[in-house]
Amino acid sequence: MESDSIDCMASSDVMDDDEIHHHQLSSSLSKTHSNNGNSNNSTLSSAVHASTTSVHELLECPVCTNSMYPPIHQCHNGHTLCSTCKTRVHNRCPTCRQELGDIRCLALEKVAESLELPCKYMSLGCPEIFPYYSKLKHEALCNFRPYSCPYAGSECAVVGDIPFLVTHLRDDHKVDMHSGCTFNHRYVKSNPQEVENAIWMLTVFHCFGQYFCLHFEAFQLGVAPVYMAFLRFMGDEIEARNYSYSLEVGGNGRKLTWEGTPRSIRDSHRKVRDSHDGLIIQRNMALFFSGGDRKELKLRVTGRIWKEQQIPEGGACIPNLCS
């Protein structure tokens, strides 16, 4: 794989091809400025963008294609790569196959310090510009970054915005789609004593112009088998705090209730489950609710979703139930 390289050795007095190109570009810009003042800003902006893009390409690791951060390594011929990939290629340059050694490309690291680049999610709406070394930290938490598919029945690697994921869940995972903010679901399982781990089909609700995912599954909590139901919000964490939900399950004159705030799908299904943030039903209690001979699980879970409304004068919240 051929790659751009940067030589960190001292430069000579001879002008190389890149320097000649840069000199010609500068001369061209100067002439354009004197001959056509109206088009100067556009031409200069294009030249600066091209220059930034070129430097950004130099900072791209030829192995993983990610941006390189210190320490940036190079071989004796000036080919660079990131520290993570240096161990992956067994200390051999992937471009010329020469031994890498422990040469740092300090010049390229210094160039990176001077750069300010837009967030990689600019095309999704993020307007922010960051110094090169701050950009990666921001992108890991950027509110415009794509969401992961919330389906829990398999390890789905699909990512996208919310409208795309809703379509994906409906068409590819064939999940149940419902409109309205109240629900009444029945979960049935034969031979529940033999089931240690099970995940029921995800259900997606549309209300208040938003989408919510209802999860129900069986798993081991310590040594005790339990069932758990919880809701996730298809949006970010801040938006999720505007909503509340309740869940109720019961039978034989008894009932359990849960009330809380839905978690964002930024938090993985496993993270929410392992934090026990939802309605948890011990197996013996679940079978008691099911009635009969306790050989079949028959649970009816009801619930509702509402949006909290702030009262400006008193600062109190009142529920806003959808019709």
Side-chain angles (χ1 to χ4, degrees), residues 114-126:
S114 68
L115 289 180
E116 288 194 345
L117 299 171
C119 172
K120 68 189 279 188
Y121 302 120
M122 178 177 63
S123 62
L124 299 178
C126 182

Side-chain angles (χ1 to χ4, degrees), residues 122-144:
M122 178 177 63
S123 62
L124 299 178
C126 182
E128 303 293 340
I129 295 177
F130 293 91
Y132 184 79
Y133 291 139
S134 303
K135 180 172 171 284
L136 197 64
K137 184 177 180 180
H138 160 79
E139 289 171 350
L141 300 172
C142 178
N143 287 334
F144 292 91

Side-chain angles (χ1 to χ4, degrees), residues 27-308:
S27 299
S28 175
L29 287 173
S30 178
K31 291 176 182 177
T32 303
H33 176 72
S34 60
N35 295 333
N36 190 351
N38 293 333
S39 62
N40 176 63
N41 288 340
S42 176
T43 306
L44 182 59
S45 176
S46 298
V48 170
H49 176 74
S51 176
T52 303
T53 301
S54 178
V55 174
H56 191 262
E57 288 173 352
L58 281 176
L59 288 164
E60 184 180 277
C61 175
V63 179
C64 65
T65 70
N66 293 327
S67 296
M68 295 186 290
Y69 294 85
I72 298 175
H73 297 277
Q74 72 164 21
C75 72
H76 291 283
N77 292 324
H79 302 124
T80 56
L81 78 164
C82 70
S83 56
T84 301
C85 290
K86 182 174 182 288
T87 57
R88 292 171 55 191
V89 298
H90 306 292
N91 207 38
R92 289 281 175 185
C93 174
T95 304
C96 65
R97 309 307 301 168
Q98 295 295 312
E99 186 175 350
L100 285 170
D102 291 312
I103 305 173
R104 287 271 295 275
C105 190
L106 300 178
L108 192 55
E109 292 179 10
K110 287 291 184 183
V111 168
E113 285 181 5
S114 68
L115 289 180
E116 288 194 345
L117 299 171
C119 172
K120 68 189 279 188
Y121 302 120
M122 178 177 63
S123 62
L124 299 178
C126 182
E128 303 293 340
I129 295 177
F130 293 91
Y132 184 79
Y133 291 139
S134 303
K135 180 172 171 284
L136 197 64
K137 184 177 180 180
H138 160 79
E139 289 171 350
L141 300 172
C142 178
N143 287 334
F144 292 91
R145 71 191 189 276
Y147 293 89
S148 297
C149 173
Y151 190 75
S154 62
E155 295 298 325
C156 182
V158 170
V159 298
D161 61 17
I162 299 304
F164 172 82
L165 288 180
V166 170
T167 301
H168 164 68
L169 288 169
R170 183 193 64 214
D171 296 345
D172 298 330
H173 292 299
K174 311 298 182 185
V175 304
D176 292 331
M177 310 288 291
H178 296 275
S179 294
C181 300
T182 60
F183 47 90
N184 186 336
H185 272 48
R186 192 163 181 255
Y187 297 96
V188 178
K189 192 73 175 178
S190 59
N191 301 318
Q193 300 286 0
E194 300 174 7
V195 178
E196 301 299 333
N197 293 280
I199 297 176
W200 277 258
M201 176 63 74
L202 178 72
T203 305
V204 175
F205 296 95
H206 181 235
C207 63
F208 298 112
Q210 307 288 348
Y211 291 91
F212 300 82
C213 299
L214 177 63
H215 298 264
F216 186 80
E217 65 178 280
F219 66 99
Q220 288 286 129
L221 182 56
V223 296
V226 299
Y227 299 93
M228 182 175 178
F230 58 91
L231 201 71
R232 284 200 293 165
F233 173 73
M234 294 188 70
D236 65 29
E237 300 91 336
I238 296 175
E239 286 184 281
R241 296 182 196 132
N242 294 325
Y243 301 91
S244 297
Y245 75 102
S246 64
L247 296 173
E248 182 177 300
V249 62
N252 287 331
R254 312 289 193 279
K255 68 179 179 180
L256 290 175
T257 60
W258 163 267
E259 186 173 306
T261 300
R263 297 278 285 272
S264 165
I265 59 171
R266 294 283 190 209
D267 290 334
S268 70
H269 156 265
R270 183 176 294 276
K271 181 178 180 180
V272 179
R273 189 199 72 180
D274 292 348
S275 67
H276 311 150
D277 193 1
L279 175 66
I280 296 179
I281 314 154
Q282 300 289 336
R283 177 186 284 173
N284 287 338
M285 181 64 72
L287 294 177
F288 175 76
F289 289 154
S290 300
D293 56 7
R294 301 167 65 92
K295 292 183 179 180
E296 185 177 32
L297 178 74
K298 296 178 182 178
L299 284 182
R300 186 174 297 279
V301 177
T302 61
R304 64 188 179 97
I305 305 166
W306 66 92
K307 186 175 183 179
E308 302 288 357

